[in-house]
Amino acid sequence: MKKTLCVLLSLLLLLGMTSLAQADEAMTLRLWVRYDDDFSACIADFEALHPGVKIIQEQVGNNYDDLLAKYNTGMQSNDMPNIGVTGQRNGIPQLYDAGWLLPIENYLTAKEMDDVVENFWTRYTYDGKRMSMPFSCTIPGCYVNLTMLHELGYENMPETLDELCEMARKAVKDVDNDGLTDIYGLNTGADIPWYILPMLWSHGGSIRQADGSYHIDTKEMKEILTIYAGLVKDGVIPANQHKTAREDFQNGKSLFLFISCATTSKILTNVNGAFEIGLTSIMKDQTKSIGLGAYGLSIFKDTNEKATMSAEFIRFMTLPENAIRTCLAKPGPLPFTKTQMADETIMARYEDPYNKAVLAQSDYIQGEGVTPVDAIVWNEIVTLMSKIEADPDLDLDKELSRIQTEMDDYMMMY
């Protein structure tokens, strides 16, 4: 009897040790997001489906620049997440070339990759590889004060850049005759490269050239900047008033506003029927091109088991029932998979005329794959446009040459 009891105790002790060992082997994945992102409900559901997997959500920055700074620090200190939010212009090439970012295409089947609408892969492709899963997908739009447009004698919203410039010039007005402009033709959000680059693409230009080099000092870029400078010089665009651009439009102080389509509900609420609003795309020139914004989800270097489980979590997040709780929770962002676009609950949100107009633009999402100089291009365009608005007679050749030198120096050291 005593011998049997000893055997049973030994077995129980062995089982207890095995359970402890299994607990020690529980898989923990770290997820980096911005302060405004919260995937906790989906994380709980995923953990319930995968016993032994724990996902720790870490909110590490206000914006994509903060995230990139965190990634840069993490790479140096060997302190990186397993999954992370990556802005489509913030560091994807650097993270990959440093050996940290694992291409998402390595963990998806051909069918799964094909489920993502092809245009949405554009801004997450580098070196011919699909690096990150598109997730929160926003595009810029052109909001129109239709009441003002009709008063100016136009029935339809502009379709081309030339039409927009003509209408915008006609809208400029000094209402109270005090010598100051009260109504402008056009203004944009502070993220002005998001509007300038699609104009460049639709004008036949690009940053990445056919030979693989990166150039901003091109004929096409100068022509687009010249058009913009002309609008500034003619008083059509207010100088350096981008932070209040949405409020100014809502108060009837501009005819056109280039800004993210994610702001539609705010604009409609704040205008509150004071005037009729239209929504169309950024103007085409030779073609219509629209840039993709916001962020994707990426996998970072660790064990193969953790990378595979990280991919499983990303796959889980793209399911319609989870996308609608996260990236598609608010109006504005676009569904990015064919499965999402076939989901009745999701598509019901795009039946109103404004969201329908946003969705219609997804066919024109183009642009370029990500490049190592994206951050330089973005930041320098912001600086350059500020200079142009302060001095529309600025020497564009000199400025573009300066930026090109910075890009060349960076690539030489890259």
PDB file of all heavy atoms in Angstrom, residues 336-348:
ATOM      1  N   PHE A 336      -9.711  46.420 -47.259  1.00  0.00           N
ATOM      2  CA  PHE A 336      -8.553  46.176 -48.117  1.00  0.00           C
ATOM      3  C   PHE A 336      -8.444  44.740 -48.599  1.00  0.00           C
ATOM      4  O   PHE A 336      -7.523  44.403 -49.339  1.00  0.00           O
ATOM      5  CB  PHE A 336      -7.265  46.567 -47.384  1.00  0.00           C
ATOM      6  CG  PHE A 336      -7.098  45.908 -46.041  1.00  0.00           C
ATOM      7  CD1 PHE A 336      -6.423  44.700 -45.921  1.00  0.00           C
ATOM      8  CD2 PHE A 336      -7.626  46.492 -44.909  1.00  0.00           C
ATOM      9  CE1 PHE A 336      -6.288  44.081 -44.683  1.00  0.00           C
ATOM     10  CE2 PHE A 336      -7.490  45.892 -43.660  1.00  0.00           C
ATOM     11  CZ  PHE A 336      -6.818  44.690 -43.551  1.00  0.00           C
ATOM     12  N   THR A 337      -9.369  43.874 -48.185  1.00  0.00           N
ATOM     13  CA  THR A 337      -9.375  42.504 -48.707  1.00  0.00           C
ATOM     14  C   THR A 337     -10.695  42.248 -49.431  1.00  0.00           C
ATOM     15  O   THR A 337     -11.715  42.888 -49.152  1.00  0.00           O
ATOM     16  CB  THR A 337      -9.195  41.457 -47.595  1.00  0.00           C
ATOM     17  OG1 THR A 337     -10.398  41.394 -46.796  1.00  0.00           O
ATOM     18  CG2 THR A 337      -7.995  41.771 -46.716  1.00  0.00           C
ATOM     19  N   LYS A 338     -10.652  41.294 -50.329  1.00  0.00           N
ATOM     20  CA  LYS A 338     -11.864  40.930 -51.060  1.00  0.00           C
ATOM     21  C   LYS A 338     -12.893  40.322 -50.116  1.00  0.00           C
ATOM     22  O   LYS A 338     -14.103  40.496 -50.297  1.00  0.00           O
ATOM     23  CB  LYS A 338     -11.508  39.954 -52.182  1.00  0.00           C
ATOM     24  CG  LYS A 338     -10.581  40.563 -53.230  1.00  0.00           C
ATOM     25  CD  LYS A 338     -10.007  39.526 -54.177  1.00  0.00           C
ATOM     26  CE  LYS A 338      -8.970  40.150 -55.112  1.00  0.00           C
ATOM     27  NZ  LYS A 338      -8.296  39.144 -55.960  1.00  0.00           N
ATOM     28  N   THR A 339     -12.402  39.624 -49.094  1.00  0.00           N
ATOM     29  CA  THR A 339     -13.313  39.048 -48.103  1.00  0.00           C
ATOM     30  C   THR A 339     -14.046  40.146 -47.351  1.00  0.00           C
ATOM     31  O   THR A 339     -15.264  40.042 -47.118  1.00  0.00           O
ATOM     32  CB  THR A 339     -12.528  38.163 -47.117  1.00  0.00           C
ATOM     33  OG1 THR A 339     -11.875  37.119 -47.840  1.00  0.00           O
ATOM     34  CG2 THR A 339     -13.455  37.554 -46.081  1.00  0.00           C
ATOM     35  N   GLN A 340     -13.333  41.197 -46.972  1.00  0.00           N
ATOM     36  CA  GLN A 340     -13.979  42.319 -46.300  1.00  0.00           C
ATOM     37  C   GLN A 340     -14.992  42.987 -47.219  1.00  0.00           C
ATOM     38  O   GLN A 340     -16.091  43.362 -46.790  1.00  0.00           O
ATOM     39  CB  GLN A 340     -12.931  43.344 -45.855  1.00  0.00           C
ATOM     40  CG  GLN A 340     -12.025  42.865 -44.731  1.00  0.00           C
ATOM     41  CD  GLN A 340     -10.856  43.806 -44.490  1.00  0.00           C
ATOM     42  OE1 GLN A 340     -10.764  44.874 -45.093  1.00  0.00           O
ATOM     43  NE2 GLN A 340      -9.941  43.409 -43.615  1.00  0.00           N
ATOM     44  N   MET A 341     -14.640  43.124 -48.490  1.00  0.00           N
ATOM     45  CA  MET A 341     -15.533  43.798 -49.434  1.00  0.00           C
ATOM     46  C   MET A 341     -16.760  42.960 -49.775  1.00  0.00           C
ATOM     47  O   MET A 341     -17.722  43.468 -50.354  1.00  0.00           O
ATOM     48  CB  MET A 341     -14.770  44.172 -50.705  1.00  0.00           C
ATOM     49  CG  MET A 341     -13.751  45.275 -50.493  1.00  0.00           C
ATOM     50  SD  MET A 341     -12.951  45.790 -52.038  1.00  0.00           S
ATOM     51  CE  MET A 341     -11.917  47.138 -51.453  1.00  0.00           C
ATOM     52  N   ALA A 342     -16.718  41.680 -49.410  1.00  0.00           N
ATOM     53  CA  ALA A 342     -17.880  40.815 -49.627  1.00  0.00           C
ATOM     54  C   ALA A 342     -18.741  40.711 -48.371  1.00  0.00           C
ATOM     55  O   ALA A 342     -19.782  40.042 -48.383  1.00  0.00           O
ATOM     56  CB  ALA A 342     -17.422  39.423 -50.055  1.00  0.00           C
ATOM     57  N   ASP A 343     -18.300  41.380 -47.301  1.00  0.00           N
ATOM     58  CA  ASP A 343     -19.015  41.291 -46.034  1.00  0.00           C
ATOM     59  C   ASP A 343     -20.134  42.342 -45.981  1.00  0.00           C
ATOM     60  O   ASP A 343     -19.883  43.539 -46.122  1.00  0.00           O
ATOM     61  CB  ASP A 343     -18.039  41.517 -44.873  1.00  0.00           C
ATOM     62  CG  ASP A 343     -18.698  41.344 -43.527  1.00  0.00           C
ATOM     63  OD1 ASP A 343     -18.782  40.197 -43.056  1.00  0.00           O
ATOM     64  OD2 ASP A 343     -19.149  42.356 -42.946  1.00  0.00           O
ATOM     65  N   GLU A 344     -21.354  41.897 -45.769  1.00  0.00           N
ATOM     66  CA  GLU A 344     -22.505  42.802 -45.813  1.00  0.00           C
ATOM     67  C   GLU A 344     -22.452  43.856 -44.719  1.00  0.00           C
ATOM     68  O   GLU A 344     -22.822  45.013 -44.932  1.00  0.00           O
ATOM     69  CB  GLU A 344     -23.805  41.998 -45.712  1.00  0.00           C
ATOM     70  CG  GLU A 344     -24.088  41.120 -46.923  1.00  0.00           C
ATOM     71  CD  GLU A 344     -25.408  40.383 -46.805  1.00  0.00           C
ATOM     72  OE1 GLU A 344     -26.111  40.577 -45.789  1.00  0.00           O
ATOM     73  OE2 GLU A 344     -25.744  39.618 -47.740  1.00  0.00           O
ATOM     74  N   THR A 345     -22.015  43.472 -43.534  1.00  0.00           N
ATOM     75  CA  THR A 345     -21.948  44.423 -42.423  1.00  0.00           C
ATOM     76  C   THR A 345     -20.983  45.552 -42.727  1.00  0.00           C
ATOM     77  O   THR A 345     -21.262  46.726 -42.472  1.00  0.00           O
ATOM     78  CB  THR A 345     -21.531  43.709 -41.127  1.00  0.00           C
ATOM     79  OG1 THR A 345     -22.432  42.642 -40.861  1.00  0.00           O
ATOM     80  CG2 THR A 345     -21.531  44.681 -39.949  1.00  0.00           C
ATOM     81  N   ILE A 346     -19.825  45.202 -43.274  1.00  0.00           N
ATOM     82  CA  ILE A 346     -18.840  46.219 -43.619  1.00  0.00           C
ATOM     83  C   ILE A 346     -19.342  47.091 -44.761  1.00  0.00           C
ATOM     84  O   ILE A 346     -19.298  48.324 -44.694  1.00  0.00           O
ATOM     85  CB  ILE A 346     -17.495  45.566 -43.996  1.00  0.00           C
ATOM     86  CG1 ILE A 346     -16.821  44.977 -42.744  1.00  0.00           C
ATOM     87  CG2 ILE A 346     -16.566  46.573 -44.674  1.00  0.00           C
ATOM     88  CD1 ILE A 346     -15.531  44.248 -43.027  1.00  0.00           C
ATOM     89  N   MET A 347     -19.831  46.463 -45.811  1.00  0.00           N
ATOM     90  CA  MET A 347     -20.198  47.232 -46.995  1.00  0.00           C
ATOM     91  C   MET A 347     -21.422  48.102 -46.772  1.00  0.00           C
ATOM     92  O   MET A 347     -21.623  49.098 -47.493  1.00  0.00           O
ATOM     93  CB  MET A 347     -20.410  46.290 -48.183  1.00  0.00           C
ATOM     94  CG  MET A 347     -19.149  45.532 -48.591  1.00  0.00           C
ATOM     95  SD  MET A 347     -17.664  46.590 -48.724  1.00  0.00           S
ATOM     96  CE  MET A 347     -18.110  47.608 -50.124  1.00  0.00           C
ATOM     97  N   ALA A 348     -22.243  47.768 -45.780  1.00  0.00           N
ATOM     98  CA  ALA A 348     -23.398  48.614 -45.465  1.00  0.00           C
ATOM     99  C   ALA A 348     -22.960  50.010 -45.049  1.00  0.00           C
ATOM    100  O   ALA A 348     -23.700  50.991 -45.209  1.00  0.00           O
ATOM    101  CB  ALA A 348     -24.220  47.978 -44.357  1.00  0.00           C
TER     102      ALA A 348
END
